[in-house]
Every structure is written in structure tokens, then in C-alpha cells.
Amino acid sequence: PDEYDVLLPLLAPDDCPSPERGAAMLGVHLEGPFFSPAKIGAHPPVNILTLSDYDPEDVYGPHLGHARIVTLAPELAGADGAIERLVNRPPPLDIGRCVVSIGHSSARLAEAALGVSSGAVMITHLFNAMGAFHHRDPGIIGLLGRPELHNRLWYGIIADGLHADPTSVAMAFQSHPGGAVLVTDAMAGMGLAPGLHSLGAQQVEIKPAGNGANKAVVAGTETLAGSVASMDACVRNFAAFTRSSPAVALRAATLHPARVLGLEHEHGTLTPGSRGDLVVLDPDTLVVQATFLRGKCAFARASRDGGRAALFDHASAQ
């Protein structure tokens, strides 16, 4: 809890992106510490707490309002009440609602459904750190098989080819195409060379995954510790895994997450009145060519002659 008091004040939502400062942070995803002890993933066991002994508002402290998403295990005693309290908290300022997502969980289907009935609207990194699908009790994954929930249930999915097999990604998409939310789960070593890196107080090793990409594992183990995949790589993978169009894959990375947070009036769309935060991709390769923040060019890939594309400079000046 003391760490939340120190860190959360530093992670306030930022509403003023600029090419100089970089993208705005919309808020924090508090992934933990209310997990099933059997599904903690790379999180240190000493950090895991129970909802019967601790109240999330006391643990997270006075800056809980900086959180946009809180992940917890819905089968924990007291989870239904905690979910209701979190989603009904009045948001500070005008930063939108706090979303509760279920994950790091051994929940049975009925327990997961109760979490949704209590107000949870998302599943954290589907397939990972949760009970495996079983035909008699499909657990959290089984929520995708309930069409009556599809208008209020989203699922994060890590399309790096390691956290979930491409066939699993395709099955999830076919079950609930409108609920897919691409997440990278990337840690600070993304884009860095193989070797030892830090993830909080833990050492993480980045090493070849055997499929042409790298993976991040807790040093000395094969436990995945987040990913080292970029979002544009996940978009390309998702389109390939699901055999969907680039437009469909891009919605899972833009409009869908904006809808989860209730921010689709400003984010995830290019409709009049939106923020003008956008990424330009090569139409054939889906590789990033430029990034705009509030309509101003923050990044442009160098052209073959070494200069910035004139188109991007002109657009930024308008």
C-alpha cells in the first residue's frame, strides 16, 4: 500500500499531449494485488492480498482516481461488493469511469458471470493467468459464449503469438468479434536487446522465442513476464491470426479500447470533434509511418533520401 501512495500521485491522467512531451497517459491500469494465489503469473507472491482482509480503496489510497482499470479475481470472497464499489465511485474531474476487469483468476463460469453482474466489463489478457477452458465448466473463457453479455463485455488479448496460440486468438474473435481489445502487455524492455532488464524489483530476461521474435521471462524461469511486442506488431498479428481486414484489426486497437473507457467521443475515431491523435500506417505492411498528437506531427519515418516525408510536415502545419 505504501508504494501506491508514492507512485499513484505521479501517474495522474494527462490531458495535454504534445509532440515535445509525447502521448497523453489516460490513467493507470491497477493489475493486482487482488489475485487468485494460483494465478499470479510473474507477480511476486508476497504482494498478493485478499479482499476479505483488505479494501481496495484503502490499499490504493487517495489517488485511486488516477486508475482507469482495476483487475481483480472475481471468485475471491468479497469480490462482488468490491466491484460494485469501484465502478460506482464518482470519477474525479472528467476522466471517465473506473473499469473493473476480471483476471489472474481461477474462477468458474458462475463466479465470472457474477463478477460481470456486479459491474465488471472486461477480461484481462484472455487465456493468460486464468483457468483453462473445460467443456463442463469453461471458466472465464466461457463468458465469450454468452451472447447476452456481448454488448457489455470486452476482452483484452495479447496477439504476440506467444501468450496465446494464433488459433486461440481466432476462436475468441469468432466468438465475440466486437469485444476484442488488443493489448501488448509490454514491459520496459520492449525494443531493447536480449539480456537482463528490470520489471519493478524483478529481473527479467529478454531472449529469442524461437519464432523469429523475442520474449520476456522472469530471470531463471520460463514464466512470461509481460511481452516485448509493439502495438503495430499486435495489429499485424491479429489481422493474420483472425484473417480479418486491417480495418477490423485496427478497431480492436483504437475504437474498442476507447469504448471500454467511455472515451469514444474523443479517442479511437477520426470523427469531427475527436482529439486528432492518430497513427499513419503503411497500407500494405501496417508498419508505422507517422504519429500525430492533437493534429501535430510527433514522429515521421525518414524517407529514402533521409528526410521527413513532406506530406507529414504539410499536414502538421495545417
Side-chain angles (χ1 to χ4, degrees):
D2 292 342
E3 293 179 344
Y4 290 113
D5 290 339
V6 173
L7 296 176
L8 282 181
L10 305 177
L11 300 171
D14 180 3
D15 196 42
C16 299
S18 68
E20 296 75 27
R21 297 178 59 203
M25 183 178 69
L26 299 178
V28 181
H29 179 178
L30 294 172
E31 193 172 335
F34 303 104
F35 291 163
S36 163
K39 299 295 178 183
I40 63 174
H43 294 255
V46 68
N47 291 345
I48 306 306
L49 301 179
T50 65
L51 287 166
S52 55
D53 295 324
Y54 296 91
D55 186 296
E57 295 185 82
D58 293 335
V59 170
Y60 296 134
H63 293 92
L64 174 56
H66 292 176
R68 303 306 294 262
I69 304 176
V70 175
T71 290
L72 56 79
E75 74 274 22
L76 297 180
D80 52 344
I83 293 171
E84 291 176 357
R85 292 194 301 276
L86 286 168
V87 300
N88 288 316
R89 291 182 78 255
L93 306 177
D94 185 24
I95 67 166
R97 62 186 178 185
C98 176
V99 167
V100 172
S101 185
I102 57 177
H104 285 271
S105 165
S106 300
R108 300 168 68 88
L109 177 58
E111 294 167 326
L114 179 59
V116 174
S117 297
S118 299
V121 298
M122 191 171 176
I123 301 170
T124 295
H125 46 52
L126 185 72
F127 300 120
N128 298 113
M130 64 182 58
F133 181 92
H134 189 280
H135 61 285
R136 291 199 178 95
D137 193 321
I140 291 176
I141 299 168
L143 293 173
L144 272 64
R146 292 195 166 180
E148 70 274 15
L149 300 179
H150 286 186
N151 66 341
R152 56 191 172 103
L153 180 68
W154 309 85
Y155 59 94
I157 194 139
I158 308 169
D160 63 352
L162 298 172
H163 280 78
D165 185 87
T167 301
S168 299
V169 176
M171 289 177 63
F173 175 73
Q174 290 162 12
S175 298
H176 185 12
V181 174
L182 281 175
V183 294
T184 65
D185 209 42
M187 49 83 68
M190 183 187 73
L192 301 182
L196 294 178
H197 301 272
S198 296
L199 177 61
Q202 298 186 98
Q203 274 203 321
V204 171
E205 182 181 7
I206 298 177
K207 60 183 182 179
N211 63 349
N214 288 334
K215 63 180 179 181
V217 297
V218 176
T221 77
E222 285 299 312
T223 300
L224 290 173
S227 85
V228 287
S230 63
M231 181 56 78
D232 59 323
C234 289
V235 168
R236 293 191 293 272
N237 287 341
F238 187 79
F241 297 167
T242 62
R243 300 184 182 181
S244 60
S245 68
V248 169
L250 286 166
R251 280 198 291 273
T254 55
L255 181 59
H256 291 182
R259 284 177 171 166
V260 171
L261 299 176
L263 298 176
E264 64 272 23
H265 59 292
E266 285 192 335
H267 297 273
T269 175
L270 294 179
T271 57
S274 60
R275 290 279 291 263
D277 299 339
L278 60 103
V279 176
V280 179
L281 303 175
D282 183 284
D284 298 317
T285 65
L286 297 181
V287 171
V288 174
Q289 300 300 304
T291 303
F292 287 78
L293 296 173
R294 290 284 178 102
K296 295 183 179 180
C297 187
F299 163 80
R301 190 173 297 279
S303 60
R304 291 182 180 178
D305 62 5
R308 282 162 55 105
L311 172 64
F312 300 139
D313 287 332
H314 174 75
S316 185
Q318 300 306 303

